[in-house]
Amino acid sequence: MSENSQFQFGAATGVGSMPGGDAREAAKTAVGSFEDFPFLPELPARGPGADMIGRTAGLLVELYARVEPSGWRLGDRPGRDTRRARSWLREDLDALEEHTQEHQGPLKVQAVGPWTLAANLELRNGEAALSDPGACRDLAASLAEGLRPHLAEVRRRVPGAQVVLQLDEPSLTAVLRGQVRTASGYRTHRAVDRQVVEATLRDVVGVHAEGPVVVHSCAPDVPFALLRRAGAAGVSFDFSLVTERDDEVLGEAVEAGTRLFAGVVPATDGPLSDPAGSVMGVRTLWRRLGLRPGLLADAVTVTPACGLAGASPAYARQALAHCVRAARSLADNPE
């Protein structure tokens, strides 16, 4: 679903990860903070299998991964690491279901995208799957196959939800630029052709025909135009990393109907500005682009700059509440 004009996104939401290890508490916070646009929390502090790579590896079909000292490595059969990842995801879905019984509207779930998976999952020889084009294709196909039942289960558990799929792609820029290091650390893997990257993303995005797909990256130089062509209905990014060099692609994205998930609230503990100050940069961008202020609320969702796993629980709750207030400020005073 590349067009989001019919879809009503919420004004604010979270990115994904939260501090701590209590699934019910995290779900209560995520749903309570964002009544209009809750998200499925991820709790990486629980350990391997709750981290973003392990969690998504647990969704793969006919591909399995286990933890090695160097990271996650593909293997022949499901082991305890796969079982642990699946168990934690079930626990998280149980908690989400408990707190979203009356929910009607958008609900966001996250999974790692195919290129960040390829950059972070090792083959048997210890090199990243990125080193082998065939392995990249198999991984993307397995991910697509695993996302279908996962999304169907979310819809079954929360019947009133319009499910939004977020693909986390923090390694995407490094993949495109040939900056992903080899196992030795002395070299980097060759850059992947942009058309191959785009086609693979399009195939995975196409799995979610029932709702929109958002691609998230809190790395610099997010390839907005490529993601739009691949069918992403929204792009989630760290707003502090945007420069005037990005103006043209951002303007084109907004005019094409792409939703901007603007990460304007710091993801780690620190003082928060007033809500209007948090979105001042978004208003400034809008003026630079010459876009109508009235479009702002229809085009922007306010989020933290990245996941909140590194924050204290108290700050995480504060940051999510701040996103809601900042979004309200943007809607009430777009100029």
Side-chain angles (χ1 to χ4, degrees):
M1 177 173 168
S2 57
E3 293 301 322
N4 62 25
S5 52
Q6 312 303 308
F7 190 90
Q8 292 300 305
F9 288 96
T13 191
V15 171
S17 68
M18 294 282 285
D22 186 332
R24 293 178 73 179
E25 186 59 36
K28 182 180 172 185
T29 300
V31 177
S33 301
F34 303 111
E35 292 175 11
D36 295 336
F37 196 0
F39 66 100
L40 175 64
E42 301 165 355
L43 302 171
R46 293 180 297 195
D51 61 298
M52 61 188 284
I53 300 297
R55 187 179 180 85
T56 300
L59 292 174
L60 298 175
V61 172
E62 293 182 6
L63 285 178
Y64 310 101
R66 64 179 186 273
V67 179
E68 297 286 341
S70 54
W72 284 90
R73 183 170 295 183
L74 292 166
D76 295 325
R77 59 183 69 83
R80 70 167 182 222
D81 296 324
T82 300
R83 288 192 293 273
R84 190 189 299 127
R86 291 174 177 173
S87 170
W88 271 327
L89 181 57
R90 276 196 305 276
E91 186 181 310
D92 294 341
L93 288 170
D94 288 344
L96 184 75
E97 183 178 1
E98 182 183 332
H99 290 282
T100 50
Q101 282 311 292
E102 307 302 317
H103 180 67
Q104 301 282 329
L107 167 69
K108 185 167 69 66
V109 299
Q110 305 81 220
V112 176
W115 293 107
T116 296
L117 265 190
N120 289 276
L121 274 178
E122 298 173 359
L123 301 173
R124 288 177 186 79
N125 64 4
E127 285 297 349
L130 190 66
S131 64
D132 180 338
C136 290
R137 285 192 295 274
D138 291 346
L139 200 50
S142 175
L143 173 63
E145 206 55 40
L147 283 171
R148 286 190 183 93
H150 173 53
L151 293 166
E153 183 177 4
V154 176
R155 289 194 298 272
R156 180 183 63 75
R157 285 172 176 263
V158 192
Q162 298 166 291
V163 181
V164 177
L165 171 62
Q166 176 180 300
L167 293 174
D168 291 320
E169 282 285 16
S171 301
L172 183 58
T173 302
V175 167
L176 288 165
R177 292 183 169 179
Q179 293 171 336
V180 176
R181 296 210 163 273
T182 57
S184 69
Y186 294 122
R187 293 186 303 109
T188 55
H189 294 289
R190 187 179 305 159
V192 181
D193 182 271
R194 293 182 80 86
Q195 288 181 313
V196 173
V197 169
E198 185 182 318
T200 301
L201 278 167
R202 189 181 299 112
D203 288 345
V204 178
V205 167
V207 164
H208 190 35
E210 294 82 3
V213 176
V214 174
V215 178
H216 166 73
S217 172
C218 40
D221 299 317
V222 175
F224 289 94
L226 183 151
L227 296 175
R228 181 165 55 81
R229 290 193 304 270
V235 181
S236 170
F237 57 100
D238 180 345
F239 193 83
S240 70
L241 299 177
V242 168
T243 69
E244 291 190 27
R245 282 201 324 268
D246 300 305
D247 279 7
E248 191 177 336
V249 288
L250 281 169
E252 287 171 0
V254 172
E255 286 176 350
T258 304
R259 184 88 177 185
L260 302 184
F261 284 63
V264 297
V265 176
T268 50
D269 291 43
L272 291 168
S273 71
D274 66 294
S278 293
V279 288
M280 191 189 304
V282 180
R283 292 193 185 93
T284 303
L285 169 70
W286 231 246
R287 283 196 292 273
R288 277 206 316 266
L289 296 177
L291 295 167
R292 280 193 306 110
L295 272 176
L296 259 174
D298 294 330
V300 174
T301 293
V302 174
T303 73
C306 209
L308 293 166
S312 66
Y315 177 80
R317 288 191 295 273
Q318 198 182 347
L320 298 184
H322 194 81
C323 288
V324 175
R325 289 194 291 271
R328 199 171 297 134
S329 167
L330 203 55
D332 293 347
N333 305 296
E335 300 187 65

